Amino acid sequence: MASLRDIRDRIKTVKNTQQITRAMKMVAAAKLRRAQERIFNTRPYAFKIRELIGHLRSGVDPSSHPLFQARESVDAALVVVVTSDRGLAGAFNANILKKAEATIAERYADLEAAGGLYILAVGRKSHEHFSKRGYQMVMDTDGADFRGVFNSLSVTQATRVIESAMEGWDAGRWDEVTVVYNEFKNTITQNRIAEQLIPIPADGFLTPVMQASEDYIEAEDNGEVEYIFEPNAQRLLDDLVPRFLTYQLWRMLLESNAAEQGARMVAMDNATTNAGELLKDLKLTYNRARQAAITTEIIEISSGAEALKAAS
């Protein structure tokens, strides 16, 4: 049985841990509010540019832009896996890594066996996971990896990822690009998404949040509305498609960031609650042990007094 000193030390340690988890919860809550504001401000534009690309695509020959054309055969593929740079977020990273592994097994198992699968890891957790397992890792155009992206999250970071993906696409290193990320639904729930980014799918891909969002209006080509493109649809496509890809990747990074902060806040709240429960149990154990020690001392004193009385 642990001594009173050991139990007191354990109580002190748990109290210190509880203070840390409580502080981390408050920090995560503050970051979550900012992340929510950014994603809620970004989604309407991301949804609208997606809708506009659909209208433009319907007004031109689909073969008029290379990013609309699926290649005859997919001999190599790039999977962009978005995780966090830090842990202490519950199963946030583990779940998205499982989703990435399942996507690879389902879609690209043959390519992986043939050496045609590449991984672009955004976030330290995904970089460590896939680099340790011998996957072919993709760096940016300057040869740097994508760890630490969420320390200073900006459109520039999304541009780095898109430029790396497009460079390999243009050079023929891979024929398809898929992004695996967490979509922010609410503080407790994240949707794990595997979305094809390049080539741009003919059938618009809708995430669960898009399907439920009032900001997203699915484009319907019912012939009742005629769109006039200035200067022309082709010129607009050439200008908008790169912006579309960058902004969609930017939205995915913001989704993952908001989901991460929500997961961390919940994890730290649970850790704080669990620490409180553990403190109750430890204090109860301490009081019982202290009572037993006091009782033992009283018995020993009484026994000694009786022995002295008998001897006299």
Side-chain angles (χ1 to χ4, degrees):
M1 182 176 178
S3 66
L4 289 174
R5 182 176 181 180
D6 292 337
I7 298 174
R8 282 198 303 267
D9 290 343
R10 183 99 187 272
I11 289 174
K12 183 178 179 180
T13 300
V14 173
K15 283 183 176 179
N16 291 337
T17 301
Q18 188 181 44
Q19 290 178 347
I20 293 172
T21 57
R22 185 180 290 113
M24 292 183 67
K25 173 190 171 183
M26 295 174 65
V27 171
K31 289 183 177 180
L32 175 61
R33 284 194 295 271
R34 293 195 295 269
Q36 281 181 306
E37 290 177 2
R38 296 178 79 180
I39 191 58
F40 291 158
N41 290 334
T42 299
R43 277 176 179 169
Y45 182 82
F47 296 166
K48 182 56 66 175
I49 194 173
R50 180 187 289 259
E51 179 187 336
L52 182 58
I53 288 291
H55 286 313
L56 286 169
R57 185 171 186 167
S58 66
V60 298
D61 182 358
S63 63
S64 62
H65 200 288
L67 288 172
F68 289 154
Q69 302 177 51
R71 291 178 175 168
E72 293 182 359
S73 62
V74 179
D75 299 319
L78 172 68
V79 179
V80 181
V81 185
V82 183
T83 62
S84 70
D85 289 308
R86 298 180 177 86
L88 299 178
F92 175 82
N93 290 304
N95 286 339
I96 200 63
L97 290 173
K98 288 179 182 178
K99 176 68 175 179
E101 294 282 8
T103 300
I104 291 171
E106 179 182 348
R107 301 183 187 179
Y108 305 121
D110 294 340
L111 297 183
E112 181 183 7
L117 179 68
Y118 298 84
I119 299 292
L120 193 158
V122 180
R124 184 171 61 86
K125 293 298 183 179
S126 59
H127 181 89
E128 292 176 351
H129 177 86
F130 289 103
S131 61
K132 288 178 180 178
R133 286 161 176 77
Y135 285 87
Q136 301 181 83
M137 306 300 292
V138 175
M139 305 301 175
D140 68 9
T141 53
D142 296 325
D145 58 48
F146 297 91
R147 288 176 288 184
V149 163
F150 293 99
N151 292 333
S152 57
L153 187 57
S154 65
V155 177
T156 302
Q157 303 290 6
T159 303
R160 286 178 60 211
V161 177
I162 285 298
E163 287 178 349
S164 300
M166 285 300 303
E167 182 183 43
W169 165 269
D170 293 336
R173 290 180 64 194
W174 45 76
D175 307 302
E176 190 171 286
V177 178
T178 296
V179 185
V180 183
Y181 65 100
N182 277 295
E183 181 184 48
F184 178 76
K185 181 178 180 180
N186 53 50
T187 303
I188 300 175
T189 307
Q190 303 90 37
N191 299 317
R192 292 177 287 280
I193 306 296
E195 179 176 349
Q196 180 178 314
L197 189 63
I198 302 173
I200 300 172
D203 299 327
F205 177 85
L206 298 182
T207 69
V209 168
M210 290 180 187
Q211 295 174 3
S213 174
E214 296 179 357
D215 292 320
Y216 187 82
I217 303 174
E218 185 177 0
E220 296 182 358
D221 186 16
N222 54 19
E224 296 179 359
V225 179
E226 182 179 353
Y227 291 89
I228 300 175
F229 303 115
E230 292 290 345
N232 57 64
Q234 185 61 54
R235 286 278 300 276
L236 286 174
L237 270 179
D238 293 339
D239 184 63
L240 284 178
V241 167
R243 297 189 189 187
F244 166 78
L245 293 176
T246 300
Y247 216 81
Q248 293 308 311
L249 202 284
W250 171 235
R251 176 188 62 81
M252 294 170 185
L253 294 182
L254 289 179
E255 295 276 4
S256 182
N257 185 46
E260 175 194 348
Q261 301 307 329
R264 180 168 291 109
M265 189 184 75
V266 171
M268 292 301 100
D269 181 58
N270 291 337
T272 302
T273 301
N274 292 338
E277 295 296 328
L278 182 56
L279 279 175
K280 290 180 182 178
D281 294 340
L282 286 172
K283 288 178 180 178
L284 182 60
T285 301
Y286 177 80
N287 290 335
R288 286 176 177 172
R290 184 167 176 269
Q291 184 178 16
I294 292 172
T295 302
T296 301
E297 290 177 1
I298 292 174
I299 292 174
E300 290 175 352
I301 293 171
S302 299
S303 299
E306 289 296 329
L308 289 174
K309 184 178 179 181
S312 60

